[in-house]
């Protein structure tokens, strides 16, 4: 599950990840260092300060371990093969040419690759494989942007190929092939809250408590 937030470009793309993959990974675009992560006790104190301490005992059991992804601008030369990254071009197994990843006649744009060995220390829920790489691709052109993105024009690829056997493909020949800005990734653990939309499905909450949340 993934949520992507805080970006200035192509926000509509990330609504797909929010819809299908919330709330295990949240992406934040930060300028300096890591996000300030509040511990559970900090959140409890905040609830008390806001006069909604009765709500805390009902929300706390639904908090989940999550992974924040801090990103900063980078260039392709900053990455070793198979390193986690967003934007630019992926590092792919030789048996998966970049121009073979498409939706109908539209080449899919590379969104991100997550090296799961790098992610492992932060995966407290043990939801991901321990090794391998997860690749995300998405159809990106004016026609698709005007419509709601769906599972048909997204590709999630999992590869167990070792990083030494990955290749750095060249940009596809299509002149209008979009390449997103290259971003360096830094993982960080934190606790996530239920989404606002999900609060109405939680049991034992009064209407006032839902509104206060």
């Amino acid at each position: 599950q993934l949520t992507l937030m805080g970006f200035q470009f192509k926000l509509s793309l990330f609504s797909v990840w929010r819809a299908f993959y919330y709330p295990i990974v949240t992406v934040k675009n930060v300028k300096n260092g890591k996000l300030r992560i509040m511990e559970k006790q900090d959140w409890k104190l905040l609830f008390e300060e806001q006069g909604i301490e009765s709500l805390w005992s009902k929300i706390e059991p639904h908090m989940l371990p999550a992974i924040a992804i801090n990103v900063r601008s980078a260039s392709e030369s900053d990455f070793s093969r198979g390193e986690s990254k967003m934007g630019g071009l992926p590092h792919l197994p030789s048996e998966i040419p970049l121009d073979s990843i498409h939706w109908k006649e539209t080449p899919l744009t590379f969104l991100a690759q997550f090296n799961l060995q790098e992610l492992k220390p932060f995966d407290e829920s043990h939801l991901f494989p321990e090794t391998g790489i997860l690749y995300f691709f998405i159809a990106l052109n004016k026609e698709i942007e005007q419509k709601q993105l769906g599972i048909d024009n997204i590709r999630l690829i999992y590869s167990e190929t070792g990083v030494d056997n990955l290749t750095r493909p060249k940009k596809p020949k299509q002149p209008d092939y979009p390449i997103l800005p290259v971003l360096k990734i830094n993982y960080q653990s934190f606790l996530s809250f239920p989404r606002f939309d999900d609060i109405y499905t939680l049991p034992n909450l009064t209407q006032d408590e839902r509104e206060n949340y």
Side-chain angles (χ1 to χ4, degrees):
Q1 296 189 349
L2 302 170
T3 296
L4 300 177
M5 311 184 323
F7 283 80
Q8 300 301 314
F9 64 93
K10 303 300 180 186
L11 285 173
S12 60
L13 298 181
F14 299 148
S15 63
V16 178
W17 286 29
R18 177 174 298 201
F20 288 99
Y21 301 108
Y22 189 91
I24 299 305
V25 178
T26 297
V27 174
K28 293 283 187 180
N29 190 4
V30 296
K31 293 183 178 180
N32 299 310
K34 297 181 179 180
L35 294 171
R36 178 181 178 274
I37 300 297
M38 292 179 65
E39 302 294 339
K40 186 174 291 188
Q41 189 61 32
D42 298 325
W43 284 113
K44 182 179 180 182
L45 180 60
L46 182 61
F47 272 61
E48 292 173 353
E49 291 174 348
Q50 296 298 317
I52 53 174
E53 59 270 20
S54 63
L55 182 57
W56 171 255
S57 61
K58 299 178 181 180
I59 294 296
E60 187 270 339
H62 300 283
M63 296 174 69
L64 295 174
I67 303 171
I69 300 179
N70 307 316
V71 298
R72 61 177 176 82
S73 297
S75 62
E76 293 287 6
S77 60
D78 294 330
F79 297 91
S80 58
R81 277 186 296 178
E83 184 178 352
S84 299
K85 68 191 292 271
M86 298 185 71
L89 294 172
H91 306 157
L92 291 171
S94 57
E95 65 269 19
I96 307 178
L98 182 56
D99 58 10
S100 71
I101 304 171
H102 54 81
W103 176 72
K104 296 184 178 180
E105 297 181 357
T106 302
L108 294 187
T109 298
F110 170 66
L111 191 59
Q113 66 185 36
F114 298 109
N115 184 310
L116 299 183
Q117 191 168 4
E118 297 172 357
L119 191 69
K120 179 181 176 182
F122 306 93
D123 180 18
E124 298 179 17
S125 298
H126 307 292
L127 296 177
F128 293 99
E130 294 186 356
T131 59
I133 297 179
L134 278 176
Y135 300 92
F136 286 83
F137 295 84
I138 194 164
L140 176 57
N141 59 34
K142 291 181 179 179
E143 179 182 352
I144 301 240
E145 287 175 11
Q146 293 172 359
K147 301 176 182 179
Q148 185 175 2
L149 292 165
I151 200 66
D152 290 339
N153 42 39
I154 305 170
R155 291 291 182 274
L156 169 60
I157 299 174
Y158 171 65
S159 172
E160 294 180 308
T161 301
V163 295
D164 292 337
N165 295 316
L166 298 178
T167 61
R168 300 174 185 257
K170 296 180 180 179
K171 179 182 177 180
K173 296 180 179 179
Q174 292 88 343
D176 58 345
Y177 181 82
I179 295 182
L180 299 178
V182 182
L183 300 173
K184 192 89 169 178
I185 286 176
N186 177 49
Y187 298 112
Q188 190 175 1
S189 299
F190 77 111
L191 288 171
S192 69
F193 280 84
R195 289 188 304 178
F196 178 76
D197 292 345
D198 293 336
I199 200 68
Y200 291 93
T201 66
L202 297 182
N204 303 322
L205 290 183
T206 66
Q207 185 61 31
D208 285 344
E209 287 173 331
R210 291 189 173 97
E211 292 176 358
N212 287 332
Y213 183 80

